[in-house]
């Protein structure tokens, strides 16, 4: 018996672990079963957002049905924390007569430690474990400097990544053929493994699940949006992005599938900024950069900054200010609209993520870890590598060539990327009737109108910016 352990790779197509399990392995052909471990307590400890948990459970139902159609049973275990996983998988392996375990490699430190413990436990039972790269186009460790170290800056990494991809190439594999007669599938909500008050089995209509939906979004974007992506991606009121991030984070679509589809759409693989499609490919390379970085720099999984010296930054602690930021009550319209959108939908446009992260760290001078945690607790596409990388980039503590004095001005960012206030008016109802010319600095107009339903700016950006720069300058002098 071969057991495929699904984690953040909830798909059939282009799934290396599943493909190898379903193929001959050293001449041995045998039955294949699948496994997913539901870990509510661990998810809570890792601040996995409820909307993301429900998204994963809905996709798990889809995966179970798809596997059943292939004749592959999906076994579900509810194991509250990672510490209990090795024993529970070991017991399942004994019951099923498993001789081989197949799984795609995890990049997060806790997950790597869990997987090592599982491998060791199974080895003691005579079960061999096989691990594959299923989360990146190129496996972590493939793209290194001349001295065999991880790149600390994105641009040289991206050049080396493109070169390595040309050298290595890659192949997309279809879903495996049926292994036997179709099997019945019992909906997850009927198994007793999930609290029905938390999830009743209904997918979120905002985020339909399934590989077909992920492929639909991918190809719709490539057909209608990829060529204009460089011009539209920064405007949150426009449908200028792919909205694939939840599907990539859950592994419903692979980054290899995205690169292959882009190449098929264009007839070539873009190599430089001047070529159509490169801007979106570059975003996929950013994703690779953060994932490689997370795996090769364990400190990033331990709440530590990439730049060790920045641990000494004197971040402030102001619960009232943090609450105002979380709830969208800062008095800066673009920040407030972004946070209210996140709280309501579980998703935020990438430009807005940069704006609100800069505001928390450089205007309010609060620790980036507070923002990182809050995002994870709300995002449907919460992904440790991308989330940590983005927050440390904004805070000036991460792998970034830009100087520490990069500070986003929330007013000018709003004026530039939501010039007519279309996005702001959706989410900040108090500002619907403010004249467009005044929308990004509405306080004086609201006072004149005798209105007190929207807060004044909680900080003076110019002064806050100077203080942020001073924090880093003081650090350099130490």
């Amino acid at each position: 018996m071969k057991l495929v352990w699904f984690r953040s790779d909830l798909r059939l197509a282009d799934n290396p672990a599943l493909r190898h399990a379903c193929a001959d392995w050293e001449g041995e052909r045998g039955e294949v079963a699948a496994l997913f471990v539901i870990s509510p307590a661990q998810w809570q400890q890792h601040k996995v957002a409820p909307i993301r948990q429900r998204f994963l459970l809905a996709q798990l139902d889809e995966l179970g049905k798809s596997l059943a159609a292939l004749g592959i049973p999906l076994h579900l275990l509810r194991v509250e924390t990672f510490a209990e996983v090795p024993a529970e998988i070991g017991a399942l392996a004994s019951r099923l007569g498993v001789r081989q375990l197949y799984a795609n490699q995890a990049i997060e430190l806790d997950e790597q430690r869990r997987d090592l413990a599982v491998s060791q436990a199974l080895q003691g039972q005579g079960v061999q474990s096989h691990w594959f790269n299923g989360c990146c186009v190129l496996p972590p460790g493939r793209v290194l400097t001349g001295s065999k170290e991880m790149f600390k800056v994105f641009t040289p990494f991206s050049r080396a990544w493109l070169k390595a991809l040309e050298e290595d190439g890659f192949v997309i594999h279809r879903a495996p053929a049926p292994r036997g007669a179709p099997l019945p599938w019992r909906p997850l909500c009927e198994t007793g493994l999930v609290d029905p008050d938390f999830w009743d089995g209904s997918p979120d209509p905002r985020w339909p699940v399934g590989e077909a939906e992920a492929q639909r979004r991918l190809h719709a974007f490539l057909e209608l949006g990829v060529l204009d992506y460089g011009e539209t991606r920064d405007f949150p009121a426009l449908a200028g992005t792919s909205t694939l991030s939840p599907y990539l984070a859950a592994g419903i679509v692979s980054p290899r599938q995205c690169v292959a589809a882009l190449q098929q759409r264009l007839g070539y693989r873009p190599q430089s900024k001047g070529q159509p499609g490169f801007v979106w490919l570059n975003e996929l390379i950013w994703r690779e950069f953060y994932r490689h970085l997370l795996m090769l720099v364990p400190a990033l999984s331990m709440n530590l900054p990439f730049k060790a010296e920045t641990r000494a930054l004197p971040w402030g602690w102001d619960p009232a200010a943090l609450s105002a930021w979380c709830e969208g009550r800062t008095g800066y319209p673009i920040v407030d609209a972004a946070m209210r959108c996140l709280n309501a939908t579980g998703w935020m446009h990438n430009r807005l993520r940069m704006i609100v992260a800069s505001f928390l760290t450089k205007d309010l001078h609060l620790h980036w870890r507070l923002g990182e945690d809050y995002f994870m607790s709300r995002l449907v596409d919460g992904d440790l590598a991308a989330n940590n990388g983005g927050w440390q980039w904004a805070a000036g503590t991460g792998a970034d060539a830009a100087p520490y004095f990069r500070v986003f001005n929330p007013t000018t960012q709003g004026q530039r990327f939501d010039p007519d206030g279309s996005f702001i008016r959706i989410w900040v109802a108090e500002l619907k009737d403010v004249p467009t010319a005044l929308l990004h600095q509405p306080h004086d107009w609201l006072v004149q109108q005798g209105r007190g339903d929207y807060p004044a700016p909680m900080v003076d950006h110019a002064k806050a910016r100077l203080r942020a720069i001073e924090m880093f300058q003081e650090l350099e002098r130490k």
Side-chain angles (χ1 to χ4, degrees), residues 259-462:
V259 175
L262 174 65
Q263 183 172 334
Q264 183 178 22
R265 163 72 173 87
L266 299 175
Y268 61 91
R269 186 185 304 142
Q271 297 293 313
S272 63
K273 291 182 179 179
Q275 292 182 294
F278 182 81
V279 178
W280 189 62
L281 175 61
N282 206 47
E283 291 301 307
L284 293 173
I285 303 174
W286 267 107
R287 182 181 185 274
E288 296 269 304
F289 178 58
Y290 285 143
R291 296 183 80 77
H292 286 214
L293 202 64
L294 188 75
M295 187 164 184
L296 298 176
V297 184
L300 298 179
S301 291
M302 302 167 66
N303 293 320
L304 297 173
F306 178 80
K307 296 176 182 174
E309 67 275 12
T310 62
R311 293 179 67 178
L313 283 168
W315 300 110
W317 173 242
D318 187 338
L322 178 62
S323 293
W325 176 84
C326 291
E327 296 167 11
R329 297 184 288 102
T330 69
Y332 284 90
I334 194 67
V335 173
D336 294 339
M339 295 306 296
R340 295 183 194 188
C341 175
L342 170 64
N343 292 332
T345 70
W347 190 79
M348 187 188 291
H349 188 280
N350 187 59
R351 170 57 58 172
L352 300 178
R353 297 187 198 207
M354 293 188 284
I355 294 171
V356 302
S358 179
F359 188 85
L360 183 77
T361 56
K362 302 293 180 63
D363 284 82
L364 301 183
H365 311 133
L366 298 181
H367 204 297
W368 55 268
R369 283 168 49 189
L370 297 171
E372 179 191 18
D373 284 353
Y374 189 75
F375 266 32
M376 284 299 289
S377 74
R378 293 292 185 272
L379 285 169
V380 69
D381 62 358
D383 172 83
L384 178 60
N387 192 45
N388 179 274
W391 272 97
Q392 294 217 44
W393 181 90
T397 64
D400 182 21
Y404 57 79
F405 49 79
R406 177 189 56 211
V407 181
F408 283 26
N409 182 318
T411 300
T412 57
Q413 287 282 310
Q415 292 169 335
R416 181 177 178 185
F417 297 114
D418 191 28
D420 63 358
S422 295
F423 180 79
I424 290 171
R425 294 182 202 278
I426 292 172
W427 295 106
V428 187
E430 308 95 295
L431 302 181
K432 280 187 176 181
D433 60 349
V434 176
T436 298
L438 305 174
L439 184 62
H440 299 281
Q441 293 177 297
H443 184 61
D444 289 345
W445 184 86
L446 292 171
V447 170
Q448 292 171 5
Q449 300 297 311
R451 297 257 302 273
D453 55 344
Y454 184 71
M458 61 188 299
V459 293
D460 182 313
H461 170 71

